[in-house]
Amino acid sequence: MFDRKPTRAAFSALLGAIALMSTACDAVGTSTEASAGGGGDCSMFEGETVTLVVPYSPGGGYDSYARIIAPHLGKELGSEVVVENEDGAGGLLAMNNLMAATPDGTELAIMNGVGVAGGALAGAEGIRFALDDLSMIGRVAEQQAVFVAGAKSPYRTLDDVLKADGFEFASTGVGAADFVNANLLIEILDFDGRVVTGFEGSDESELAVVRGDVDGQTGDLDSRIEAIEAGDEHPLLVIDTKRADVLPDVPALGELDLGQRERALAESLIDMSAFGRPIVGPPGLPEDRLSCLRQALHNSVTNPKLLAAAKKEERPISWLSGAELDELVGRLGDASAAFQQSLRAAHERG
Amino acid sequence: MFQTFFQSLLDVLQPETIAIMLVGIAIGFVVGVLPGLGGSVTLALMLPFIFDMEPVQAFAFLLGMWVVTATTGDITSVLFGVPGEATSAATVFDGYPMTKRGEAGRALGAALLSSTQGALLGAFFLALSVPILRPLVLAFGPPEFLMLTLLGLTFVVALSGRNVLKGFLMAALGMLVALVGIDPQEGVPRYAFGQLYLWDGIDIVPLVIGLFAGAEVLQLMLSKTSIATRTADNISGIRQGVRDTFRHWTVVVRSSAIGIGIGIIPGMGGSVSQFIAYGHAQQTSKHPERFGKGAVEGVLAAGANNNAKDAGSLVPTIAFGIPGSVGAAVLLGAFLITGLNPGPEMLTTNLNITFSMVWIMVLANIVAVAVSFLLIRQLVKLTLIPGTWLVPFLLVLLGVGAFTASNNINDIFVMLAAAALGVVAIHWDWPRVPFLLAVVLGGLAERYLFLSYSLHGWSWLTTPSVLGLGALIVFVAVWPYVRAMRRRGKEPVPARVETKDNDLTGVGK
């Protein structure tokens, strides 16, 4: 069973109370005491308050990651890192606001990499910036997408779907990651499928899949794994070059036998998925501040204490450096016209 | 199973667990009273503190905190007309008029006790539904949700007060406001005027705060008096409020049932059910005309509903890991941290933890309400403070309450615009609640209509559950007229009185 540490538990609850009382007027925020020093090159952040924006309401993956990282990043920078939820326009409101922020690194955001990258490449309405405008600090988690079918649907394997007569995907809306993934899968694998939009959030679309109102959906593996293990959903395909460790029997998109055009589309889709959940800053972040933030974030996510906390919340850390993200942006910028065309189509109406 | 049920009570009653729960309750109490400091944000802030706790302790802390915010949120709604929590908005409709009349003690007594009753009924339901938790969640889909929103909208008739035409016009205006934002089907922004802020539509929290609290604070500023000019004897007032919950027990039970039912549906959101419960209470009341002017049944409906709803939203969270509300979404994080898997396990190997949640909801509410009752007399005195002292403080509450809905400055502007609309509506006697109900339900009705159609074509129209709900809608819409006719048959009302009324409202003959 679990470790029994009642006194510590009670103590930490008490600390919680004190922490809340002291930050009650701030309304939001996770605070850490400014600790002495975070490496010589980060002196410009000492004593500053850094806001880490979550573009969604509390609860869910982005919020969890931000709150796990904030105290450690604060220690590294020698400043206070406050988490702020700024929900709106499917996360785009916060991203556009970030674009207008003073580029001094005191305002950062955790971004929906796939959604924003897809939208930016497609030139979707509401994204008022190009992907390479963003200052990439580092990816904290990958978002391995998985294609699942509900237990009540007749589909058990990918082959069943390829022979389908009208496979229905649930999606939260035009331009959302589940919408883009579903439309591209239909195009790459060339099967008879359609996407039903209008579900309020992933909770509602998941319920529709479990109920059997629709046949399946695409989603993050770490969010889907519970339903898969409970037997409510069957995994069909992992949208990655290689199979997922937790699902060794489920094929990966990269290993399928595809035509040349389809293969190129699949590679771009996998590239785009690699964005995962990055932490980004506004355009034009000065070199010294950017390199400090990159180093500080790297130190934070390799800190054993942070890793333990992340493990406990089942939010695995998967690091990709800012430089590697920049490379990815470049590669996607060069992606084939066919891919951008497919993305654009997915942002209009399937 | 019964053994597990009572064993789980013993788990909760461990001294350490109780201590942790009391800390949670204390935090929840403060958070609930303060507008703007929402229950779900606080839950997210507190998640790291449960890392070393056992599951039951973690839920004692978090769940205890969360359910208490719904109870104490009503206190601010009643006393100042500013909802302490988004889910306490409907308590304002009648709770605040009662305070102005000097009946704050009675209103608080009714709100708090009905909250506890709602929580008890919700917990009782959660415990009872354990064997059928999973089929229960799966029983309803978009067509049934659509019928539920339509049922809610039929209450517009009742909520319109004496002038049904004005009510319909306000509801139509509300529907128009509900159209603002990205449409759920094509992803096209409607009436957004290039503003990303408008993509998600108009948020309900700043709207409620402006429409009710903002308008009232403006009036308080102009009148230069205190909120209440006198207060009735507090102790007897509280007793009366307590008696009210038993006198109108059917309102409490039905409102709780509505809360549980809507709480179960993910996507309906916690702020919807209170309006439906309120509308139903007015519709079924013998004196619907008193609603909005300080009818205690209105307070009871809102109070009982928002606590019962929390139990409802836990049902899909426990059964499938699909949270029924934002608060439940954060609680889902607590499942993962403590190593629990939502789903069948919660009903078999971890059944004791599921049952402990039931006990935690019950105990936390009882403690919070007991403490609140001790404080009522002091709290009521606040309403006698002269307006000139109180208004600056209330303005801060208004601003903070509206702003923290999504940390966006535009929420303040929406709040101010809603306040202006509220003042106009009060001055010319246009009902505000139908407007609000239409804003909340209009968007949902549209979404579920399109979802029903894209999933099932038109075949959903003839399913038994949809037909049953349709019959209920017809009944609810027609019932007041039938009752009025029957009453007229028994004791004829002189026709003259009605003409007089018409003249008073300026509609004329």
Side-chain angles (χ1 to χ4, degrees):
Chain A
M1 277 292 283
F2 306 87
D3 291 3
R4 239 181 192 285
K5 291 176 200 146
T7 34
R8 232 176 112 191
F11 183 65
S12 59
L14 200 70
L15 273 182
I18 295 162
L20 181 82
M21 297 309 165
S22 62
T23 55
C25 302
D26 296 343
V28 282
T30 298
S31 60
T32 47
E33 289 301 311
S35 70
D41 48 343
C42 274
S43 50
M44 58 282 217
F45 282 104
E46 220 150 285
E48 295 264 348
T49 301
V50 174
T51 310
L52 179 56
V53 174
V54 177
Y56 303 98
S57 51
Y62 295 96
D63 190 53
S64 300
Y65 276 110
R67 289 179 197 282
I68 291 169
I69 290 164
H72 296 274
L73 185 61
K75 251 177 219 147
E76 291 293 334
L77 293 174
S79 58
E80 190 179 13
V81 177
V82 178
V83 175
E84 226 172 72
N85 298 90
E86 205 179 309
D87 191 16
L92 291 183
L93 187 62
M95 294 312 301
N96 282 299
N97 285 345
L98 182 71
M99 288 298 124
T102 319
D104 60 1
T106 55
E107 201 172 331
L108 308 172
I110 183 163
M111 180 173 89
N112 175 346
V114 181
V116 174
L121 285 174
E125 196 178 352
I127 300 190
R128 296 164 186 175
F129 53 89
L131 207 51
D132 51 11
D133 286 345
L134 292 163
S135 301
M136 299 286 172
I137 295 164
R139 182 192 75 182
V140 294
E142 65 182 342
Q143 242 178 327
Q144 208 167 28
V146 61
F147 172 24
V148 295
K152 292 202 173 171
S153 79
Y155 307 99
R156 292 291 171 270
T157 65
L158 190 61
D159 281 337
D160 297 343
V161 177
L162 297 182
K163 284 177 269 174
D165 183 18
F167 185 96
E168 284 184 333
F169 287 89
S171 163
T172 50
V174 176
D178 57 4
F179 189 81
V180 172
N181 279 333
N183 275 299
L184 278 161
L185 278 183
I186 294 172
E187 192 170 343
I188 292 168
L189 302 173
D190 190 27
F191 62 94
D192 182 8
R194 76 183 187 99
V195 186
V196 178
T197 57
F199 294 95
E200 177 69 14
S202 55
D203 311 328
E204 216 176 69
S205 61
E206 182 177 346
L207 187 60
V209 173
V210 175
R211 259 176 61 83
D213 284 339
V214 290
D215 297 311
Q217 67 181 139
T218 67
D220 300 340
L221 180 56
D222 52 347
S223 314
R224 294 272 72 77
I225 194 75
E226 307 265 322
I228 292 172
E229 280 171 358
D232 290 326
E233 290 178 347
H234 296 294
L236 305 174
L237 181 74
V238 176
I239 304 178
D240 203 344
T241 44
K242 54 180 194 326
R243 298 185 178 207
D245 299 337
V246 282
L247 301 172
D249 301 329
V250 179
L253 180 60
E255 69 185 57
L256 299 182
D257 191 19
L258 298 169
Q260 200 188 355
R261 180 178 168 277
E262 285 75 20
R263 169 146 302 280
L265 285 180
E267 277 167 7
S268 295
L269 180 62
I270 292 168
D271 266 349
M272 203 170 73
S273 306
F275 267 104
R277 306 176 198 254
I279 290 182
V280 299
L285 215 56
E287 200 51 49
D288 55 337
R289 284 177 185 256
L290 182 61
S291 63
C292 149
L293 285 168
R294 283 178 169 179
Q295 190 58 45
L297 184 61
H298 182 254
N299 292 349
S300 309
V301 297
T302 47
N303 183 329
K305 270 193 198 152
L306 183 147
L307 291 173
K311 189 166 187 239
K312 187 104 186 171
E313 287 201 45
E314 291 190 26
R315 299 287 178 195
I317 298 289
S318 164
W319 174 253
L320 201 64
S321 73
E324 286 168 297
L325 284 171
D326 281 341
E327 255 172 55
L328 207 56
V329 172
R331 217 162 50 228
L332 276 171
D334 302 336
S336 66
F339 182 65
Q340 299 202 7
Q341 181 58 40
S342 306
L343 276 179
R344 256 193 292 280
H347 276 80
E348 277 145 19
R349 180 81 191 133
Chain B
M1 194 148 122
F2 280 104
Q3 204 190 342
T4 320
F5 186 57
F6 291 107
Q7 181 61 41
S8 63
L9 173 62
L10 296 181
D11 288 349
V12 175
L13 290 179
Q14 296 291 320
E16 295 130 24
T17 313
I18 288 285
I20 290 171
M21 185 166 79
L22 288 177
V23 174
I25 291 171
I27 298 171
F29 202 98
V30 176
V31 168
V33 169
L34 291 176
L37 203 55
S40 47
V41 172
T42 315
L43 276 183
L45 281 176
M46 292 296 137
L47 269 186
F49 295 102
I50 66 165
F51 276 5
D52 293 327
M53 294 188 197
E54 286 193 47
V56 174
Q57 293 174 335
F59 285 109
F61 181 56
L62 293 177
L63 193 57
M65 184 189 320
W66 186 48
V67 295
V68 165
T69 58
T71 308
T72 58
D74 288 345
I75 295 178
T76 333
S77 298
V78 168
L79 291 181
F80 306 114
V82 182
E85 292 287 300
T87 50
S88 299
T91 318
V92 174
F93 301 163
D94 283 292
Y96 189 64
M98 285 178 78
T99 298
K100 286 208 285 190
R101 224 167 43 201
E103 291 186 323
R106 181 182 174 196
L108 281 179
L112 290 170
L113 193 66
S114 65
S115 291
T116 312
Q117 290 164 337
L120 292 183
L121 287 168
F124 182 64
F125 172 83
L126 185 60
L128 270 190
S129 66
V130 158
I132 53 158
L133 223 45
R134 284 169 63 92
L136 185 74
V137 174
L138 296 183
F140 299 100
E144 287 83 14
F145 301 160
L146 170 67
M147 297 309 276
L148 282 176
T149 55
L150 292 181
L151 178 63
L153 278 171
T154 52
F155 292 133
V156 163
V157 180
L159 294 168
S160 308
R162 205 174 304 168
N163 197 324
V164 176
L165 183 63
K166 277 184 178 176
F168 273 120
L169 284 174
M170 285 301 268
L173 184 65
M175 284 288 202
L176 285 177
V177 172
L179 285 179
V180 174
I182 297 247
D183 95 284
Q185 285 303 298
E186 306 291 327
V188 178
R190 288 186 302 211
Y191 306 107
F193 308 105
Q195 294 292 314
L196 278 177
Y197 169 74
L198 293 173
W199 275 27
D200 277 351
I202 303 287
D203 195 278
I204 190 72
V205 176
L207 206 58
V208 172
I209 290 181
L211 208 51
F212 289 87
E216 297 293 351
V217 170
L218 277 176
Q219 285 198 325
L220 190 63
M221 279 165 87
L222 297 175
S223 69
K224 291 183 185 157
T225 57
S226 52
I227 292 177
T229 41
R230 60 185 176 88
T231 57
D233 175 18
N234 283 320
I235 298 302
S236 71
I238 299 167
R239 261 193 222 131
Q240 167 119 42
V242 168
R243 268 201 304 276
D244 285 329
T245 64
F246 292 104
R247 197 152 56 91
H248 300 290
W249 65 274
T250 50
V251 174
V252 172
V253 170
R254 286 194 307 250
S255 303
S256 302
I258 291 172
I260 295 164
I262 293 179
I264 292 177
I265 305 171
M268 283 283 251
S271 49
V272 175
S273 71
Q274 54 184 337
F275 299 113
I276 297 184
Y278 182 84
H280 126 275
Q282 183 168 7
Q283 183 82 310
T284 53
S285 169
K286 285 189 185 120
H287 302 285
E289 73 282 355
R290 287 186 199 159
F291 275 69
K293 299 188 179 80
V296 76
E297 295 116 293
V299 176
L300 294 174
N305 177 272
N306 62 17
N307 280 51
K309 168 205 98 249
D310 290 342
S313 71
L314 279 181
V315 170
T317 316
I318 293 171
F320 292 98
I322 299 175
S325 64
V326 179
V330 184
L331 275 182
L332 190 61
F335 277 84
L336 301 178
I337 291 174
T338 51
L340 296 171
N341 285 320
E345 274 179 33
M346 295 303 296
L347 311 176
T348 51
T349 46
N350 290 323
L351 184 63
N352 61 324
I353 295 169
T354 304
F355 278 136
S356 74
M357 291 186 205
V358 172
W359 290 113
I360 290 163
M361 295 187 84
V362 171
L363 294 174
N365 262 294
I366 290 175
V367 172
V369 168
V371 173
S372 306
F373 270 107
L374 292 176
L375 295 175
I376 285 183
R377 288 173 67 186
Q378 314 305 323
L379 289 171
V380 170
K381 285 185 189 148
L382 292 175
T383 62
L384 292 174
I385 296 173
T388 39
W389 290 93
L390 206 54
V391 162
F393 166 71
L394 290 180
L395 284 177
V396 172
L397 288 191
L398 289 182
V400 172
F403 179 71
T404 43
S406 58
N407 285 325
N408 193 307
I409 194 75
N410 288 310
D411 285 334
I412 306 265
F413 297 123
V414 170
M415 188 268 286
L416 292 175
L421 181 67
V423 169
V424 170
I426 292 174
H427 192 261
W428 280 286
D429 193 24
W430 285 69
R432 289 168 286 175
V433 185
F435 171 77
L436 206 55
L437 195 74
V439 175
V440 173
L441 294 178
L444 285 173
E446 185 201 0
R447 206 157 54 78
Y448 288 129
L449 174 64
F450 278 110
L451 264 182
S452 301
Y453 178 73
S454 38
L455 289 172
H456 311 292
W458 291 115
S459 65
W460 60 270
L461 276 170
T462 50
T463 56
S465 49
V466 168
L467 288 175
L469 284 167
L472 185 62
I473 290 172
V474 173
F475 174 75
V476 165
V478 171
W479 173 243
Y481 298 101
V482 173
R483 196 170 57 187
M485 268 199 292
R486 273 174 38 194
R487 203 179 294 165
R488 208 167 292 159
K490 274 181 204 158
E491 38 180 302
V493 183
R496 257 200 186 150
V497 178
E498 287 186 13
T499 352
K500 222 177 174 182
D501 280 352
N502 282 345
D503 285 347
L504 279 176
T505 54
V507 177
K509 291 170 203 172

